Amino acid sequence: MGKRSLNSEKHMHGTTAKKKRSGLQLSNMPTDILCSIMSKLPLKEAVRTSILSQQWKYHWCCHSNLEFSFTSMLSSHHLGGPITADSRNLMKQEFIERVDAVLKQHSGLGVENFRVWFPFNNGNTDPIERWVNFAVASKTKHLTLNFSSARCIGKPCIFDLRLLDGSVSSHLQYVELSSVFLQLPVGFKGLHLLMSNCNVLEFLRITDCSMLTRIHISHPSNALKHLQVHKCRSLQVMELNFGLITLEYSGPLIPLSPPGTLLLTKISMKPWDSCTALEYIFTELPSTVPRLEMLTLKCHEVERATLPEKLPKFVYLRHLRLELSSGPLEKKVDALDFACLLVAAPFLEKLEFHMWRMVSVNQSYGYGQQLRSIPSQPHCHLRFVDITGFYGQKDQLELALHILRNAAMLEAMKIDPKPSIAAEYGQMQGPFFLDGYQVARDYVLREDKCNVLYIKHVPRKTIEAKFLSGSLWSKLRTLSYGVFV
């Protein structure tokens, strides 16, 4: 009797456990939850779930993140081999067919992100139009079309801005267009049509659109908050809207032409033209962005800037990041000039200097040289300073000492001899920058009364062995000697 009761109890618990397990099956979850889970997977992996069973065949069709790229769409046999004109055409055809197949089966509902990243050119406008029509019809919020390529493969793909008609593209909040030829209707200039159609657009990124000469987004009702513009070679002017908060730009040096005072609080600028950072700061910015809070400026310094007698004040500026490069012939560049920033930005809290100087011989500060000093300029808000590319040269040492002596509330100051921005300029650096470590220890450290200084140590033997053992260092020395001969 006891055994039968025990067996019955086991059977009952086993049945209950099976029911509980069956109730936890993923396929039995509500459709919206299942779609949310499926959208967390990469598109390729989500599509693969269709082979699990007949029940799973179409679960992926509600995927909300449609990202089509070389790696997500093409077969592995395309990777690693030589690329010829024929193989490139085959890859394009396979890519187009696979994207079309995905969109044909997709429900067309709930698409949050629609992204195409593939090197298309002017011969592929038809599939692009189909895909954009699908994206706007599905009320996607994020649209990315990136047709950039490592090398020129023909004329850029034409993109007709009328595809983003106001009646269907009103949901777009994020648009990124790269390596496209923007086709504008007669009578429209710049991006005015795009901005008028996409009235909730908050983020816009334009890259490598060579035909673009003007960006006009100055209507007060525009919702645009963040604008990024890169490598638009023909751009001549940007007319910006009142509500724009952040601007990121790299390209030819052009004026910012607002209809009035901008609300811009964050700017990152990388002008292609040779331009001194101080000259740009004091001549281009004060009248247009007086409420600037964060500035990143990347400049190639070729000469000392001529500063105005009365420096403009940036009373809202809290974070300043300068990336400064200079070649061996720019001998007039003087880092101590940048000490004036402590006066111009009285409420600055974080200051970054990232320097790269192409040198071929040891030019670090030597004992017995006369160090300059300028009148004391106490600063009561600067808390963090970061200096990289500290070669230990005399003007760099003078700037570091001036900041350390005048920043009364300084909490941390980091000095790194290694030029962190050298790689961005496609340059490698010999071991000369290593002398900056010893100069910082000998002259800056003894002025550190509050124990806020950190000097990063770079092992000399490791760096010298790396360069002296290979041909790279020999080539660099030959190039450097050639410059000075």
Side-chain angles (χ1 to χ4, degrees), residues 108-206:
L109 301 174
V111 178
E112 292 282 330
N113 302 293
F114 190 96
R115 181 184 186 190
V116 179
W117 191 348
F118 197 83
F120 283 118
N121 56 24
N122 194 26
N124 307 109
T125 55
D126 290 342
I128 301 302
E129 289 188 6
R130 290 198 302 271
W131 302 341
V132 173
N133 285 333
F134 176 92
V136 295
S138 64
K139 298 181 179 180
T140 187
K141 296 178 181 178
H142 291 205
L143 175 65
T144 298
L145 301 177
N146 189 332
F147 306 142
S148 59
S149 173
R151 56 181 177 176
C152 182
I153 56 174
K155 294 182 179 180
C157 183
I158 294 178
F159 180 71
D160 191 342
L161 281 177
R162 287 173 296 186
L163 292 171
L164 302 180
D165 181 79
S167 61
V168 294
S169 60
S170 59
H171 294 80
L172 281 173
Q173 299 175 8
Y174 178 111
V175 172
E176 179 179 348
L177 303 174
S178 182
S179 298
V180 298
F181 186 94
L182 298 177
Q183 183 172 315
L184 305 172
V186 177
F188 283 89
K189 295 181 179 180
L191 300 173
H192 183 70
L193 178 64
L194 176 64
M195 300 309 304
S196 60
N197 286 346
C198 307
N199 51 20
V200 297
L201 187 65
E202 294 185 0
F203 182 99
L204 176 62
R205 179 183 175 94
I206 304 291

Side-chain angles (χ1 to χ4, degrees), residues 316-381:
Y316 292 93
L317 191 61
R318 299 294 184 269
H319 184 182
L320 176 60
R321 176 186 173 95
L322 297 177
E323 299 185 12
L324 310 173
S325 66
S326 59
L329 300 181
E330 282 84 59
K331 298 179 181 179
K332 294 183 179 180
V333 175
D334 192 339
L336 188 57
D337 289 343
F338 290 89
C340 67
L341 294 171
L342 299 184
V343 177
F347 299 99
L348 191 67
E349 297 176 358
K350 185 174 182 179
L351 177 60
E352 299 181 57
F353 285 102
H354 302 283
M355 295 175 276
W356 173 71
R357 295 180 171 183
M358 187 175 180
V359 297
S360 59
V361 293
N362 183 0
Q363 297 178 355
S364 63
Y365 173 75
Y367 180 77
Q369 289 181 275
Q370 184 67 36
L371 287 174
R372 298 170 297 169
S373 62
I374 57 179
S376 179
Q377 301 160 328
H379 197 289
C380 298
H381 293 85

Side-chain angles (χ1 to χ4, degrees), residues 49-118:
T49 63
S50 63
I51 66 173
L52 294 176
S53 67
Q54 186 66 28
Q55 189 178 9
W56 279 83
K57 189 172 183 179
Y58 298 107
H59 278 319
W60 70 269
C61 296
C62 60
H63 204 289
S64 63
N65 297 305
L66 300 181
E67 299 190 3
F68 305 107
S69 65
F70 189 100
T71 54
S72 68
M73 287 288 106
L74 294 185
S75 306
S76 58
H77 69 266
H78 288 303
L79 303 174
I83 298 179
T84 63
D86 290 338
S87 65
R88 188 180 296 115
N89 290 332
L90 287 174
M91 285 190 290
K92 283 184 181 179
Q93 188 59 37
E94 182 178 334
F95 185 88
I96 292 170
E97 291 174 356
R98 293 194 172 200
V99 174
D100 283 340
V102 169
L103 299 186
K104 186 176 180 180
Q105 298 179 70
H106 196 276
S107 65
L109 301 174
V111 178
E112 292 282 330
N113 302 293
F114 190 96
R115 181 184 186 190
V116 179
W117 191 348
F118 197 83

Side-chain angles (χ1 to χ4, degrees), residues 366-415:
Y367 180 77
Q369 289 181 275
Q370 184 67 36
L371 287 174
R372 298 170 297 169
S373 62
I374 57 179
S376 179
Q377 301 160 328
H379 197 289
C380 298
H381 293 85
L382 188 61
R383 296 186 295 139
F384 303 101
V385 176
D386 188 3
I387 302 176
T388 66
F390 184 83
Y391 292 47
Q393 293 176 338
K394 182 172 175 286
D395 60 329
Q396 292 180 320
L397 174 59
E398 291 163 340
L399 175 63
L401 289 173
H402 179 80
I403 294 173
L404 186 61
R405 291 165 178 167
N406 286 273
M409 304 302 293
L410 196 61
E411 296 178 16
M413 182 175 185
K414 176 184 175 183
I415 294 180

